[in-house]
Amino acid sequence: MLDAIYRAARDRIGNLAAGLGDHQLRTPVPATPGWTVHDVLAHLVGGAADVLAGRLDGAPGDSWTARHVAERRDHPVEELLAEWERAAPAVEASLPKQHTGPNLAADAICHEADLHEALGLPRTDRAHWQPLLEVMARFPGRRLGDTATLVIIDELGQQWRSGSGESVTQLRADGYELMRGVFSRRSRRQIAGWDWSPEPPSAVVDGFGAFGPRDDDQPVPTG
């Protein structure tokens, strides 16, 4: 499944990137401070190229991703997409059996939404990110253990339950927003403002995102 998710995301991002002008490529991406749309594309291509080359030291840390951007900062989009095309089969072959290293399928889905939000485009389709939400929605309650229980319910009535404590906190939220939150794409203020009952402990809000909390509010696209 991950290989198909990655392949489809690469196609969509490639089609989007190929139609962007220079001004759009220079647009800052709020989800990745300091990066432009071109930089996000460079990172996606660089990650694939590193899988092909077996160059995964430091992955998926900041120095690893920064190198992708630095090495491709002056490469035109056509060149980036051609490099991605060459490297993609190696990524797809690695994903079904992946146990370690960066999950480039999840990375592509996350950054696709980053690009849509930066460019003011509608949110990405649910069918694209739903399989990842089904796994990641249990992340916010991973540390609760027997101290509390977190129940998350999306707008379709899908439910995720984590923890086993008697104290129960319930969250009702839109599936897209949940997906963005668990990928650390929503601020603490934004997460705390969702429909919680009762008000969530700060530890739950701070630990909601897989990549740590953030304090910069993010753009919320239309449906």
Side-chain angles (χ1 to χ4, degrees), residues 105-180:
D107 196 51
I109 291 295
C110 181
H111 286 308
E112 180 185 17
D114 292 345
L115 295 175
H116 274 239
E117 292 179 4
L119 293 166
L121 300 175
R123 64 171 61 178
T124 51
D125 290 345
R126 189 182 190 105
H128 302 159
W129 44 262
Q130 176 67 37
L132 297 176
L133 177 63
E134 290 174 1
V135 175
M136 293 290 289
R138 298 189 184 280
F139 183 90
R142 72 200 185 286
R143 297 176 181 169
L144 294 177
D146 60 0
T147 62
T149 296
L150 174 63
V151 178
I152 298 176
I153 305 170
D154 73 3
E155 80 280 14
L156 299 182
Q158 296 179 110
Q159 185 174 131
W160 296 268
R161 191 180 188 93
S162 304
S164 58
E166 292 184 5
S167 173
V168 178
T169 298
Q170 184 178 97
L171 168 63
R172 290 185 176 273
D174 175 83
Y176 177 84
E177 288 300 293
L178 288 174
M179 185 271 294
R180 297 301 280 159

